[in-house]
């Protein structure tokens, strides 16, 4: 595939802005093998969508997805709508012969996620999922260090995603409605850290050994917090914690990964940094080393296309990195870091569903029980 990629964006709210900014910025700072063309944006309100298109650089707007799918110049459909319509929109795009990039979680329900993965398996188009935190340079560097064997066999992982905005005074948004979102903090937040742990460690989560779900706000029909214990394919253990009621945290998330030879830790609150502990170092100088991940010349991923070393980048840059990697993958070349497709996103969804099933049963549940079922 060469030349240009015509894009249709479906959705015009928070993620619509983030994705639009990424498609605009990617050719200004990177040299992708394909050039994105922002053809059209699809959303429900005709007037608001037209204004969104003007503001964010889309050539046209429509309230009808079928119009975008009928456009022969559109080759990639970018889905960033609420979870309950991912299946309908993504499958329609695949059936129209388009490539599809879909926001996470893959779907509101495990059944919808399975249907999407099945449709992708027989489609001609490629699929991608916006697990954008894979594109944080420090997280991608952590994956490289694990792959180099620097921390040895992984024994213990701790992963946390904590926000405070979901209390009784929060607006009644779709994320609190189980019929639309499917789940609450679990699908929205645990999805990110489950994918991050799989991405960095290269291991699968094979069993959920115990899980707790809790809804604190009576008007919510989704979970406000979900915590679970898990076993990894390499023999290690892990804990995952997601909550929208962690007073004092706006968007605190990250992980600690402890191995026999060392350890890594990352917190999004300090996005430019990755902490590394070398347990093989001389005891006199052994301790945590803080790596400032901002030096492209040192091999830190993506950052060399932005600013000189020591000039931090932020949240929005992760979407630009993903846009670059999607364009690279569509050209047939290898992206900077592996891109999750619908099949891989289904594995993440299976872990999430297994945690809910473990909470319902009060017993350990193997992830494969759902994937093979």
């Amino acid at each position: 595939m060469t030349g240009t990629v015509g894009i249709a964006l479906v959705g015009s709210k928070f993620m619509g802005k983030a994705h639009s900014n990424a498609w605009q910025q990617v050719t200004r700072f990177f040299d992708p093998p394909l050039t994105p063309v922002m053809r059209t944006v699809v959303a429900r309100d005709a007037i608001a969508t037209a204004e969104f298109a003007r503001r964010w650089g889309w050539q046209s707007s429509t309230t009808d997805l079928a119009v975008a799918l009928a456009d022969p110049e559109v080759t990639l459909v970018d889905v960033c709508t609420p979870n309950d319509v991912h299946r309908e929109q993504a499958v329609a795009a695949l059936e129209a012969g388009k490539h599809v990039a879909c926001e996470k979680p893959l779907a509101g329900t495990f059944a919808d996620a399975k249907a999407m993965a099945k449709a992708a398996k027989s489609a001609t188009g490629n699929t991608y999922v916006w697990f954008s935190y894979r594109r944080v340079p420090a997280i991608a560097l952590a994956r490289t260090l694990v792959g180099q064997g620097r921390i040895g066999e992984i024994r213990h992982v701790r992963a946390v995603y904590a926000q405070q905005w979901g209390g009784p005074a929060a607006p009644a948004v779709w994320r609190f409605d189980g019929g639309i979102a499917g789940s609450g903090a679990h699908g929205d937040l645990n999805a990110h850290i489950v994918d991050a742990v799989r991405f960095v460690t290269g291991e699968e989560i094979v069993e959920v050994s115990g899980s707790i779900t809790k809804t604190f706000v009576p008007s919510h029909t989704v979970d406000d917090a979900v915590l679970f214990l898990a076993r990894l394919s390499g023999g290690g253990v892990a804990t995952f914690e997601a909550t929208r009621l962690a007073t004092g945290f706006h968007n605190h998330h990250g992980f600690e990964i402890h191995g026999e030879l060392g350890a890594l830790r990352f917190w999004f609150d300090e996005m430019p940094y990755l902490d590394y502990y070398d347990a093989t170092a001389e005891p006199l100088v052994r301790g945590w080393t803080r790596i400032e991940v901002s030096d492209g010349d040192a091999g830190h991923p993506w950052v060399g296309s932005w600013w000189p070393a020591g000039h931090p980048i932020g949240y929005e840059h992760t979407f630009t990195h993903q846009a670059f990697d999607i364009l690279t993958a569509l050209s047939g070349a290898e992206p900077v870091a592996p891109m999750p497709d619908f099949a891989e996103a289904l594995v993440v969804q299976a872990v999430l569903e297994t945690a809910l099933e473990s909470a319902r049963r009060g017993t350990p549940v193997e992830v494969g029980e759902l994937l093979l079922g």
Side-chain angles (χ1 to χ4, degrees):
M1 189 175 183
T2 59
T4 61
V5 176
I7 301 169
L9 179 76
V10 189
S12 62
K13 300 301 182 181
F14 174 27
M15 283 297 103
K17 295 175 182 178
H19 292 206
S20 297
N21 182 66
W23 294 120
Q24 282 189 331
Q25 296 292 343
V26 66
T27 55
R28 294 171 179 168
F29 288 89
F30 293 84
D31 293 309
L34 298 172
T35 301
V37 177
M38 298 169 67
R39 290 284 295 175
T40 191
V41 56
V42 184
R44 291 177 294 183
D45 185 306
I47 295 174
T49 306
E51 172 57 22
F52 182 94
R54 183 200 64 78
R55 185 183 185 99
W56 289 97
W58 295 93
Q59 294 178 359
S60 64
S61 65
T62 180
T63 60
D64 187 353
L65 177 60
V67 171
L69 297 184
D71 182 354
E73 298 299 317
V74 168
T75 54
L76 173 69
V77 176
D78 185 359
V79 176
C80 51
T81 47
N83 304 340
D84 64 322
V85 291
H86 284 185
R87 174 181 177 176
E88 174 189 348
Q89 294 166 346
V91 171
L94 289 171
E95 290 177 345
K98 312 296 186 182
H99 305 292
V100 178
C102 185
E103 258 300 331
K104 45 59 58 186
L106 185 58
T109 67
F110 186 59
D112 277 359
K114 288 205 303 185
M116 291 170 69
K118 181 179 179 181
K121 193 172 182 179
S122 59
T124 58
N126 298 342
T127 60
Y128 309 99
V129 180
W130 288 84
F131 282 112
S132 57
Y133 291 129
R134 286 191 179 202
R135 268 66 202 168
V136 173
I139 293 179
L141 178 60
R143 173 186 170 85
T144 297
L145 297 182
V146 170
Q148 292 175 348
R150 290 178 183 262
I151 69 171
E153 181 179 313
I154 294 169
R155 294 171 171 168
H156 192 176
V157 174
R158 299 184 184 92
V160 175
Y161 205 133
Q163 297 178 336
Q164 69 173 2
W165 69 280
V173 296
W174 66 265
R175 294 182 187 276
F176 299 136
D177 184 340
I180 299 175
S183 68
H186 190 49
D188 191 21
L189 307 181
N190 263 333
H192 272 305
I193 55 177
V194 166
D195 182 73
V197 168
R198 295 179 62 253
F199 173 69
V200 172
T201 66
E203 297 190 12
E204 295 296 345
I205 297 157
V206 295
E207 180 187 84
V208 173
S209 303
S211 180
I212 297 174
T213 69
K214 179 69 176 181
T215 300
F216 291 93
V217 181
S219 61
H220 294 175
T221 57
V222 295
D223 55 86
D224 291 321
V226 175
L227 295 76
F228 67 95
L229 308 173
R231 297 187 186 277
L232 303 176
S233 56
V237 295
T239 62
F240 294 87
E241 174 185 345
T243 176
R244 289 184 178 140
L245 291 171
T247 303
F249 285 126
H250 288 294
N251 195 43
H252 172 75
H253 62 89
F255 51 77
E256 297 176 356
I257 302 174
H258 302 270
E260 62 172 329
L261 302 178
L264 294 164
R265 66 185 176 197
F266 167 80
W267 298 110
F268 189 70
D269 316 65
E270 300 173 303
M271 180 180 162
Y273 302 105
L274 176 68
D275 293 334
Y276 168 56
Y277 185 91
D278 183 359
T280 68
E282 180 186 356
L284 180 67
V285 295
R286 188 182 301 157
W288 285 98
T289 297
R290 170 148 285 195
I291 305 168
E292 184 184 279
V293 190
S294 67
D295 190 348
D297 291 337
H300 297 163
W302 299 292
V303 293
S305 294
W306 295 101
W307 315 115
H311 293 70
I313 59 174
Y315 169 77
E316 71 277 13
H317 297 82
T318 66
F319 293 92
T320 306
H321 299 162
Q322 175 125 355
F324 173 67
D325 279 356
I326 288 174
L327 294 169
T328 301
L330 282 174
S331 77
E334 286 294 320
V336 175
M339 292 289 303
D341 60 9
F342 281 13
E344 190 170 357
L346 177 63
V347 175
V348 173
Q349 197 111 11
V351 173
L352 301 179
E353 188 68 18
T354 300
L356 296 178
E357 185 64 22
S358 178
R360 285 190 286 264
R361 296 184 192 178
T363 62
V365 180
E366 293 185 3
V367 175
E369 181 180 329
L370 293 179
L371 281 175
L372 299 174

